[in-house]
């Protein structure tokens, strides 16, 4: 699917070089997809991340792609480790940065009972999918089996499973029951 998308984009991009300059100022969609899924693989053929959505439209005037209901899954050695969903997304045709807009939920996936319930609730997150990194300057609520933590801003290192809460951090924690 990704190869077909890139091929279509390349063909349309070549044709767009011949469009009169006055027409470039109009906000026009040169291609779109409904209910799409795109997977980026590493050099060994293992998935790095999968991006899906209900609608995707590419705008020729500024080479941006708008995504409705983006849903991304990030993999570590072919195992799904993080899921990120949002209301809307905005990126360029290279997809090196994705701005997730509106409500965003970042959920850590896994079998460990301490982390499998971890969920981050926030808004307006910038994701760099190739390096598995996400950041926001908005208020953040981190929920896990130990309690709830609030902060302003966060950096999420998806590859390492590390989260930095940036400022005004406060939380409520439940002690684990004694055996």
């Amino acid at each position: 699917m990704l190869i077909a998308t890139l091929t279509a984009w390349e063909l349309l991009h070549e044709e767009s070089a011949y469009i009169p300059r006055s027409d470039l100022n109009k906000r026009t969609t040169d291609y779109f997809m409904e209910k799409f899924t795109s997977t980026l693989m590493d050099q060994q053929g293992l998935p790095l991340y999968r991006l899906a959505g209900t609608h995707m439209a590419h705008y020729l005037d500024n080479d941006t792609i708008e995504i409705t209901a983006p849903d991304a899954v990030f993999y570590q050695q072919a195992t799904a480790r993080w899921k990120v969903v949002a209301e809307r997304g905005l990126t360029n045709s290279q997809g090196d940065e994705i701005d997730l807009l509106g409500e965003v939920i970042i959920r850590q996936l896994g079998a460990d009972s301490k982390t499998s319930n971890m969920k981050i609730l926030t808004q307006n997150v910038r994701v760099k999918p190739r390096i598995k990194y996400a950041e926001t300057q908005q208020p953040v609520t981190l929920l896990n089996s130990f309690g709830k933590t609030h902060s302003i801003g966060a950096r999420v290192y998806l590859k390492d499973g590390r989260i930095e809460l940036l400022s005004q951090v406060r939380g409520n924690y439940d002690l684990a029951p004694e055996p």
Side-chain angles (χ1 to χ4, degrees):
M1 180 63 140
L2 180 61
I3 293 171
T5 303
L6 292 174
T7 302
W9 180 82
E10 186 64 28
L11 289 172
L12 291 169
H13 181 68
E14 287 177 15
E15 291 174 9
S16 69
Y18 302 106
I19 297 173
R21 203 171 245 328
S22 62
D23 290 344
L24 290 176
N25 294 329
K26 296 178 184 173
R27 184 111 170 113
T28 59
T29 302
D30 59 344
Y31 67 87
F32 70 94
M33 286 191 276
E34 300 288 337
K35 297 180 184 174
F36 73 94
T37 300
S38 174
T39 303
L40 180 68
M41 310 297 265
D42 67 13
Q43 292 177 343
Q44 290 76 36
L46 299 174
L48 286 174
Y49 72 92
R50 176 192 54 81
L51 177 64
T54 59
H55 180 81
M56 178 186 79
H58 178 264
Y59 294 95
L60 185 60
D61 61 337
N62 60 0
D63 191 30
T64 58
I65 297 173
E66 290 183 6
I67 303 167
T68 304
D71 180 332
V73 175
F74 292 88
Y75 296 86
Q76 191 74 23
Q77 298 178 346
T79 302
R81 295 292 182 198
W82 293 88
K83 182 174 179 82
V84 181
V85 296
E87 293 177 34
R88 298 178 297 121
L90 184 64
T91 187
N92 60 20
S93 61
Q94 288 78 36
D96 49 357
E97 288 186 355
I98 303 171
D99 289 322
L100 299 175
L101 308 171
E103 299 294 323
V104 178
I105 300 171
I106 302 172
R107 181 184 306 268
Q108 188 173 25
L109 307 173
D112 184 348
S113 63
K114 294 178 183 176
T115 61
S116 63
N117 296 325
M118 186 183 313
K119 184 167 39 171
I120 300 168
L121 309 172
T122 189
Q123 294 183 345
N124 303 339
V125 174
R126 173 159 288 164
V127 177
K128 297 181 180 182
R130 293 181 197 274
I131 62 170
K132 300 180 182 178
Y133 172 79
E135 66 183 7
T136 184
Q137 299 301 315
Q138 300 298 312
V140 172
T141 300
L142 184 141
L143 305 165
N144 63 18
S145 56
F146 299 115
K148 185 186 296 188
T149 305
H150 300 279
S151 78
I152 303 297
R155 294 183 186 124
V156 183
Y157 299 88
L158 303 168
K159 187 174 182 177
D160 305 340
R162 183 169 49 101
I163 301 167
E164 286 180 24
L165 302 174
L166 299 181
S167 68
Q168 300 178 32
V169 179
R170 63 190 192 293
N172 299 319
Y173 300 96
D174 297 325
L175 293 175
E178 293 185 29

